[in-house]
Amino acid sequence: MRAWSKHLLLNLHPTTIGKSKNNNNIKGVFSFIRGKMSASSSSGFDRPRLVVKKVLSKPQSEGDGAVVRRSIGRSELKYIDPFLMLDEFAVSPPAGFPDHPHRGFETVTYMLQGDFTHQDFAGHKGTIHTGDVQWMTAGRGIIHSEMPAAEGTQRGLQLWINLASKDKMIEPRYQELLNEDIPRAEEDGVEVRVVAGESMGVHSPVYTRTPTMYLDFTLKPRAQYHQSIPESWNAFVYIIEGEGVFGVPNSSPVAAHHTLLLGPGDGLSVWNRSSKPLRFVLIGGQPLNEPVVQYGPFVMNTQAEIDQTIEDYHYAKNGFEMARYWRSK
């Protein structure tokens, strides 16, 4: 899967309130502040993370006949350090993602429904099924294919996570986590699957080179939950199904296929006030604070490194040696 983006700096400017011309305006301002303070106090955190940006992911064509809903990696939300892209894909044979290269980051493929087969030029091949996760570190170079392995629509999420400059040219590696091996916990109508990180006292065995949390929550109707997030991390929500209230209890409900960028704070609070289950992923990571230069499936720190990567790929060298001979089957 491909994404074309440049580094985006998100600057949050505080609102300046000048002198009001009448008392009604002043009362309105203080009423607004009191309302926010009251909502915050019932969120479970002294400094709850609020939704600072909301983006609806619309279907678009990608790969060979595939359809994705891209959230991160499009013009409205180009980059959330260290996250480069998030796609919700829906693919039916013969569509898919045939042979394509990567360098400089990791891909995390999480199957929501169906089966997908991966194979690459280093001889790795395998199929992940509903609920399985493949965490691939592309490092210095991989050419691979990702194709549906069953009839009907195969659905999943693919997340791209940037690598620090010191890790961009490491050897490729894989971590695969089967559905039954993903740690999970449940309390008070809330279930969580811990793909990476920790929640409800359970930890994922996945090693994240860039410190990352990846939590899959399902809330029954009228359930609520408060999840801590490391203060220095960036974080966002992607809603898979249903609708929920995020941040503070007086926020408006948000429906499926929206990405919610979270501001600073101690953690996220969420409420399901609908009559149907709410499912979403909460993803957070430690920012790298490094320059990002991206050319399609290559992500480096400088334009010179991108130029070198294109040359390496074209001439099948420095990690792409097998490109000259390999084709997926």
Side-chain angles (χ1 to χ4, degrees), residues 83 106 108 135 137 159 161-163 166-167 173 175 195-197 204-214 233 284-286:
F83 305 110
E106 299 182 297
V108 183
W135 200 293
T137 303
L159 176 70
I161 307 175
N162 199 12
L163 285 171
K166 64 182 178 61
D167 295 326
R173 68 188 298 266
Q175 298 174 85
V195 177
S204 169
V206 168
Y207 168 70
T208 60
R209 192 168 291 274
T210 302
T212 303
M213 66 189 307
Y214 193 132
W233 288 18
Q286 182 175 304

Side-chain angles (χ1 to χ4, degrees), residues 9-15 50 52-53 261-264:
L9 295 176
L10 298 171
N11 295 309
L12 304 178
H13 299 285
T15 301
L50 306 180
V52 297
K53 191 167 190 176
L261 176 61
L262 304 178

Side-chain angles (χ1 to χ4, degrees), residues 1 67-68 87-91 109 111 116 154-157:
M1 302 178 197
V67 176
V68 305
D87 280 353
E88 178 184 356
F89 59 86
V91 184
T109 306
M111 292 304 299
F116 241 60
Q154 323 301 307
R155 293 179 57 240
L157 300 175

Side-chain angles (χ1 to χ4, degrees), residues 12 30 53 67 82 110 119 138 140 209 300 320 326:
L12 304 178
F30 281 105
K53 191 167 190 176
V67 176
Y110 183 29
Q119 54 181 305
R140 66 198 304 254
R209 192 168 291 274
M300 304 300 287
F320 290 110
W326 182 81

